[in-house]
Amino acid sequence: MERALEALRVGNDKAKAVDGLPVRAHRPGQEASFYEGFALRGIRVDRIQPGFLLCSFTVPPRLTDVSGKMAAGAVVNLVDQVGAAVMTSEGHHKKPSVDISVAFLSPANLGDELEIRSKVLGNKGGLTGTHILLMNKTTGQVVAEGRHCLFGNLIKSKI
């Protein structure tokens, strides 16, 4: 346990380096989000149509584990964020997640370019289901498949 704690301990110099990272606001008039800048920086929207969202993302060093593979939490984060974002393609407000299921099928490595496909499966009452597929663009291998359930009013936003 002591060795594990020592490995996880962050020195002042590293903590200061993280605190000094530039973080820009993603939405006009709102405060900058370190989370969005760290976890989502580099994601590109390639195509959007009602009920469908296609994105690209190159695995950066900041989201990999010690072996150079994309961290499981980073994969789940993409399923969560892209699964929720596809709702806006239908003109709805984002709703909070109530259930996420992710199957990890093959690893994504540092520098791999991923294709992320998200589609709305349907709406029933206040529930919306989405399906998210992460694939390696070069090999065609499925990295992960996710199902995402969100709950809230289906109020159309004024886009």
Side-chain angles (χ1 to χ4, degrees), residues 39-120:
L40 299 175
R41 185 175 61 232
I43 196 164
R44 296 172 306 281
V45 175
D46 298 324
R47 190 172 73 200
I48 187 167
Q49 61 192 59
F52 181 79
L53 181 60
L54 178 66
C55 298
S56 297
F57 186 73
T58 302
V59 178
R62 69 180 182 278
L63 298 180
T64 59
D65 60 21
V66 294
S67 66
K69 307 239 180 289
M70 188 172 186
V75 172
V76 173
N77 178 67
L78 287 174
V79 168
D80 181 29
Q81 294 297 315
V82 179
V86 72
M87 292 182 43
T88 61
S89 72
E90 293 187 324
H92 300 292
H93 293 292
K94 277 188 159 181
K95 302 191 293 188
S97 303
V98 292
D99 187 47
I100 297 176
S101 169
V102 180
F104 297 90
L105 302 167
S106 65
N109 299 305
L110 174 63
D112 285 352
E113 188 172 5
L114 304 179
E115 176 178 283
I116 308 164
R117 295 173 170 263
S118 182
K119 66 179 179 177
V120 174

